Amino acid sequence: MLNCDTLIRNARVLDGSGSDAQLLDVALHNGRIAAIDVPLKCRADHVIEADGLCLAPGFIDAHTHDDTSVIETPTMLPKISQGVTTVIVGNCGISASPVRLKADPPDPMNLLGKRNNFRYPTFAHYLAELDAARPAVNVAALIGHTSLRNNHMDRLDRTATDGEIRSMHAELTSALAAGALGLSSGLAYSSANAASTDEVLALADALIGANAVYVTHLRTETDAILDAMDEAFRIGRSSRSPVVISHLKCAGIANWGRSGEVLHALEQARTNQHIGCDCYPYAAGSSTLDLKQVDPRVGIGITWSTAYPEVAGRTLADIAAEWDMNQLDAAKRLQPAGAIYHSIDEDDMRRILAHPATMIGSDGLPWDKHPHPRLWGAFPRVLGRYCRDEKLFTLPQAIHKMTTMPARRFGLAERGAIAENHWADLVLFNPDTILDTATFADPIRAAQGIECVWVNGTLSYTAQGLTGNRAGRFLPGSATQWLQ
Ligand code: ZN
Ligand code: CU
């Protein structure tokens, strides 16, 4: 008879492919899925009676800023408590490595921590620290364009010279060789906005033949979003790489209702190149406090402020009233600071979330004092609110968006599916009760309905909390696979 470490009996298995659940037994051994059958005869050290709960591949958070938190807070409770077993770090042009700072981190690199959190002058340093920290979740990494600019340019408000591009290119090439998944950009931010398309095109040349992806926070998500998408598609074609548009949305009140148009442009482009996107399930974004986004018609919450730390959690309108000034002046006084912007239309968000090209990415900001609730709630919210309660998509489709789809797109081999010999990253959850409990008012709360989470075959989280075992590892990129 087969020996195994763990036998999960009688689970409704959603394998990640998008097909319907099947009642099965799953055996784990040496970190991998050893056998799947019904009934499965095996001598197991641990037996879990699933009693018809759902078993899915561990969720892959396609868009995170967990670069430094996987090392500083390796228990990764905000993520593992949602059933997330892998985080993609380095999004929006800002990776924690390779980074060599001369001063405080430029905006928005400060979303990843303070100056002393940037301790990885090379990608190899980052990998060594990750290995030593042993986070509870697996980590795969993009290299940020803004981070490279920081390393090789004396100022960020201009485009790079040919020489600077050559140095950035060399640094990106060596990180890709060491297992980075691709290049990310954050062209909307002032630290990268001055970069010409040619700068990014020349840098993205490093992706050719590297099985890598180009991931972008578009140059703009407002009026000119279609032009910004064209720029991204062009960079993908020239670097012969798939493109992932980060947190696709129509931002700002003037843009509400344009999701149909935006998705149509995405679909057109998908007929001749590989393009996908990620989305978080909320009608509000969050980043650093950007004076250009201060609009009295938009509700803005303050997530942190270096100058006035005590105001975290209050609205900008409230603070401005107390200070007897307009919101723009109050926002200037709070700098540097972080904010939540209720500047997305719920219908647009749903349409993008439900689109077959869309993966789930929390975009959670782990260092924020009063974070956007997506940090703790994104995945259970998709499954509870948008799948079960509002029926935006079926449960197998929802699971596919958070497992097999990102694993294939980012080239995470033997992950993201329940299949024999795949790594045993798994989540057991109750489909009737799963739900986010984190709210804008009370954002630091673990979701409900997550029963067990295994990372590389190790039981790491249960409904009772952390088990104390941490089994995550660095996942190098391999060949990406795209199913349109
Ligand atoms: Zn972003
Ligand atoms: Cu982001």
Side-chain angles (χ1 to χ4, degrees), residues 314-330:
R314 291 177 59 192
T315 66
L316 181 61
D318 186 32
I319 298 162
E322 186 188 306
W323 290 350
D324 198 19
M325 55 177 68
N326 66 39
Q327 293 197 28
L328 189 60
D329 288 335

Side-chain angles (χ1 to χ4, degrees), residues 63 65 92 189 217 246-247 363:
H63 188 114
H65 295 289
C92 296
Y189 291 104
H217 176 148
S246 297
H247 41 62
D363 204 4

